[in-house]
């Protein structure tokens, strides 16, 4: 999600090393007669100062790429001097572990730092397009241009994702104008170029016809001619709408995906395709919880129904430790601590902060922890240890008026509980004299999504049965 920036390390750098206040030949520096030139090439002035590499860090266990928003330090202004920035601020799609900067120790000349050759020359990272082995039918049409650097040709700065696409498909980045900041060739540019290639558009190779420049004439194929002459022409890909102008029929607007959105999409796809989801639901009577909640409110203790659900789930997991498990791909791991992840919706996407050791906490402490974690999640201030891990997840959409739904398991966890809203329903009950009558109750549907590899249907049914009993009898929560 960041663009790479290459830094040249050619003749200008050697000139600066020789003229930047360093001793030169004949100015008090003597070399032995034999091997003098070899000794000169082994001096620090030409070899430079070895730099300490700064690599792109991981801010979460699922992060694969990141953005360089801003450099807060300037070159040579701190104790460990920042020698150079290999990746400029504002760059996107920077792969984890890639070189983004170089440091030198205090006392060393940061201007003399060596820049690794693998991060300084874009030509070494952008391989040339495969050469055509067959002889072209028209000798006036040249072969596709190579990606290697040519003297006098404008060099294109490539993002890591764009470079990978160009290498894989042998595309030439000079065929379209880069759309990234400061002229960076982005992943979207590479995908656009690849799309043109797959459509067979002339933008892929840009043939050079001699002597006159080529005329931009389109010759439609048979299928295209049929589409054009049809009563309702419809392009295969709708055109992108132009900002500031009325949207034409069939246009669309591209919305760039944020880092967290892309990670969520990837993890949800992996979960639904790799984990055998099984579902079971139960209706719980929460009249007793609502009554107890009112009693606590009289003592100025404010707790929500969701806090009781979290506590009841933790107590149920303590009673049934076989459900408090994770799957690592080969073996099942039963966890000792009951750490429950609660789903929080933010502007950047869904995130699941973790309440640690819930079974040992009271309702009031759970309410305080859930409120604090939800606020930090919406403010984007969660620490990695506050959302990494967990043994069980809960997602509550009852506040949005949802009766019931099914949630996607958050791997490597084995289960997630989907909680719906409280709704009034009439039930037939018996009074003290044994007479039947209709009475209104508040029911809530909870749906368990479980990993069939570690929690089978029987175990999931028993878990829901025990959870229902704990919810309908909140006094049992104080016994565990």
């Amino acid at each position: 999600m960041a663009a790479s920036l290459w830094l040249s390390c050619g003749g200008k750098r050697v000139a600066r090393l020789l003229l930047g206040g360093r001793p030169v030949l004949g100015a008090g520096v003597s070399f032995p007669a034999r091997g003098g030139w070899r000794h000169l090439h082994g001096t620090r002035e030409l070899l430079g100062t070895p730099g300490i590499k700064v690599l792109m860090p991981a801010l979460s266990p699922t992060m694969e790429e990141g953005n360089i928003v801003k450099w807060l330090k300037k070159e040579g202004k701190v104790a460990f001097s920042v020698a150079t920035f290999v990746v400029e601020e504002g760059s996107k799609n920077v792969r984890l572990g890639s070189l983004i900067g170089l440091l030198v120790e205090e006392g060393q000349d940061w201007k003399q730092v060596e820049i690794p050759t693998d991060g300084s020359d874009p030509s070494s990272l952008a391989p040339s397009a495969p050469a055509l082995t067959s002889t072209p039918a028209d000798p006036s049409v040249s072969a596709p241009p190579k990606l290697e650097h040519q003297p006098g040709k404008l060099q294109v700065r490539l993002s890591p994702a764009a470079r990978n696409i160009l290498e894989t498909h042998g595309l030439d980045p000079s065929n379209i104008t880069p759309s990234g900041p400061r002229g960076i060739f982005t992943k979207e540019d590479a995908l656009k170029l690849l799309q043109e290639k797959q459509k067979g558009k002339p933008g892929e190779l840009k043939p050079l016809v001699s002597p006159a420049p080529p005329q931009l004439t389109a010759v439609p194929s048979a299928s295209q001619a049929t589409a054009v002459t049809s009563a309702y022409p419809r392009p295969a890909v709708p055109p992108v709408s132009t900002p500031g102008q009325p949207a034409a029929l069939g246009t669309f607007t591209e919305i760039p995906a944020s880092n967290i959105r892309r990670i969520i999409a990837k993890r949800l796809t992996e979960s639904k395709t790799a984990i055998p989801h099984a579902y079971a639901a139960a209706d719980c009577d929460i009249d007793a919880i609502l009554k107890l909640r009112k009693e606590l409110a009289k003592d100025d203790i404010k707790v929500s129904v969701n806090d009781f659900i979290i506590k009841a789930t933790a107590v149920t997991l303590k009673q049934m430790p076989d459900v408090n498990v994770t799957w690592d791909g080969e073996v099942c791991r039963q966890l000792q601590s009951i750490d429950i992840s609660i789903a929080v919706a933010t502007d950047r996407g869904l995130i699941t902060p973790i309440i640690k050791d819930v079974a040992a906490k009271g309702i009031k402490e759970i309410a305080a922890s859930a409120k604090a974690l939800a606020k930090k999640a919406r403010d984007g201030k969660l620490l990695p240890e506050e959302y990494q891990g967990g043994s069980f997840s809960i997602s509550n959409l009852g506040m949005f008026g949802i009766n019931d739904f099914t949630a996607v398991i958050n791997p490597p966890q084995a289960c997630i509980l989907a909680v719906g809203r409280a709704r009034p329903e009439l039930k037939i009950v018996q009074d003290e004299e044994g007479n039947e009558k209709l009475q209104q109750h508040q029911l809530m549907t909870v749906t368990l999504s479980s990993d069939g590899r570690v929690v089978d249907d029987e175990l999931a049914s028993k878990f829901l049965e025990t959870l229902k009993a704990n919810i309908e009898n909140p006094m049992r929560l104080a016994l565990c």
Side-chain angles (χ1 to χ4, degrees):
M1 305 170 194
S4 63
L5 173 66
W6 56 269
L7 295 176
S8 179
C9 188
K12 292 184 179 180
R13 189 153 189 83
V14 176
R16 188 175 67 180
L17 290 175
L18 293 177
L19 303 178
R22 296 291 181 175
V24 297
L25 293 178
V29 180
S30 60
F31 300 100
R34 293 183 178 180
W37 184 249
R38 185 182 301 109
H39 185 82
L40 172 62
H41 276 274
T43 59
R44 182 171 178 174
E45 283 70 17
L46 284 182
L47 287 180
T49 302
I52 303 173
K53 295 183 178 180
V54 180
L55 305 180
M56 186 66 183
L59 303 182
S60 71
T62 58
M63 177 177 171
E64 296 180 354
E65 296 177 340
N67 301 338
I68 304 296
V69 179
K70 185 177 181 180
W71 288 104
L72 301 180
K73 301 295 182 181
K74 296 182 179 180
E75 293 183 348
K77 298 299 182 182
V78 290
F80 270 79
S81 298
V82 180
T84 184
F85 299 131
V86 181
V87 179
E88 289 184 355
E89 63 181 35
S91 300
K92 298 180 179 181
N93 298 342
V94 178
R95 298 289 300 179
L96 296 188
S98 60
L99 183 65
I100 62 175
L102 294 170
L103 300 176
V104 293
E105 296 183 359
E106 186 177 6
Q108 292 182 331
D109 190 354
W110 62 274
K111 298 180 180 179
Q112 300 282 348
V113 69
E114 292 181 5
I115 300 179
T117 57
D118 57 351
S120 60
D121 187 3
S123 61
S124 63
L125 300 178
S128 58
L132 296 178
T133 55
S134 60
T135 304
D138 188 355
S140 63
V141 179
S142 63
K146 297 183 179 181
L147 296 183
E148 62 185 9
H149 172 62
Q150 299 175 0
K153 182 180 179 181
L154 181 62
Q155 302 184 37
V156 181
R157 294 182 293 177
L158 306 173
S159 71
R163 181 180 296 111
N164 183 42
I165 295 175
L166 295 177
E167 291 177 359
T168 304
H169 300 278
L171 304 176
D172 184 4
S174 63
N175 286 336
I176 64 174
T177 304
S179 62
R182 298 173 300 280
I184 295 175
F185 194 92
T186 63
K187 176 183 176 182
E188 288 72 19
D189 297 330
L191 292 176
K192 181 179 179 181
L193 191 60
L194 177 60
Q195 190 179 37
E196 292 181 355
K197 175 184 177 181
Q198 294 174 347
K199 287 184 177 182
K201 290 186 177 181
E204 175 196 356
L205 299 180
K206 281 193 176 179
L208 300 179
V209 182
S210 180
Q215 298 294 328
L216 299 178
T217 58
V219 180
S221 61
S223 60
Q224 292 174 337
T226 303
V228 171
T229 57
S230 62
Y232 301 96
R234 184 176 182 179
V237 178
V240 182
S241 60
T242 304
Q245 296 183 4
L249 183 63
T251 61
F252 67 94
T253 302
E254 285 189 352
I255 302 176
S258 62
N259 295 359
I260 190 170
R261 286 288 181 187
R262 291 168 57 176
I263 294 173
I264 290 173
K266 180 180 179 181
R267 289 178 63 84
L268 287 178
T269 303
E270 292 175 350
S271 177
K272 288 294 288 185
T273 55
I275 298 178
H277 283 58
Y279 307 101
D283 291 332
C284 304
D285 189 339
I286 61 171
D287 284 342
I289 287 181
L290 296 177
K291 182 179 179 180
L292 180 58
R293 185 166 173 257
K294 289 181 180 180
E295 294 294 331
L296 294 175
K298 295 178 181 179
D299 298 331
D300 201 23
I301 301 176
K302 297 180 180 180
V303 293
S304 66
V305 174
N306 195 58
D307 299 328
F308 282 97
I309 302 301
I310 295 173
K311 177 62 177 178
T313 303
V315 171
T316 308
L317 289 172
K318 186 175 181 180
Q319 296 170 341
M320 303 182 64
D322 290 342
V323 184
N324 193 47
V325 295
T326 61
W327 178 259
D328 70 347
E330 296 182 357
V331 296
C332 174
R333 296 180 179 178
Q334 188 175 107
L335 306 178
Q336 302 300 321
S337 177
I338 299 175
D339 303 330
I340 296 183
S341 304
I342 55 174
V344 177
T346 68
D347 295 337
R348 295 171 296 275
L350 194 69
I351 193 169
T352 54
I354 302 170
I355 304 178
K356 302 293 183 67
D357 198 15
V358 185
K361 290 182 169 64
I363 296 290
K364 187 176 180 180
E365 188 177 359
I366 291 174
S369 299
K371 185 177 180 180
L373 288 172
K375 185 178 185 304
K376 292 182 69 175
R378 294 187 180 98
D379 295 340
K381 297 181 179 180
L382 283 176
L383 300 176
E385 59 268 19
E386 292 177 324
Y387 59 83
Q388 294 178 4
S391 59
F392 194 97
S393 293
I394 296 178
S395 179
N396 191 338
L397 295 181
M399 67 285 296
F400 300 107
I402 304 300
N403 288 336
D404 60 87
F405 66 102
T406 56
V408 181
I409 297 174
N410 184 22
Q413 299 176 10
C415 296
I416 182 171
L417 188 70
V419 182
R421 71 180 181 93
R423 63 189 188 278
E425 288 192 7
L426 293 176
K427 293 178 60 178
I428 299 178
V429 297
Q430 291 183 348
D431 56 16
E432 296 178 355
E433 299 178 356
N435 300 322
E436 293 183 349
K437 63 177 183 179
L438 284 175
Q439 185 175 346
Q440 180 175 286
H441 292 268
Q442 294 290 329
L443 297 184
M444 180 182 66
T445 302
V446 293
T447 306
L448 181 69
S449 302
S450 56
D451 187 344
R453 297 172 296 185
V454 289
V455 179
D456 56 26
D457 293 340
E458 181 182 4
L459 182 60
S461 301
K462 291 181 178 179
F463 176 84
L464 278 181
E465 182 182 13
T466 307
L467 176 64
K468 175 182 171 69
N470 289 331
I471 291 175
E472 295 181 347
N473 300 277
M475 297 302 297
R476 298 176 58 173
L477 305 180
L479 302 179
C480 296

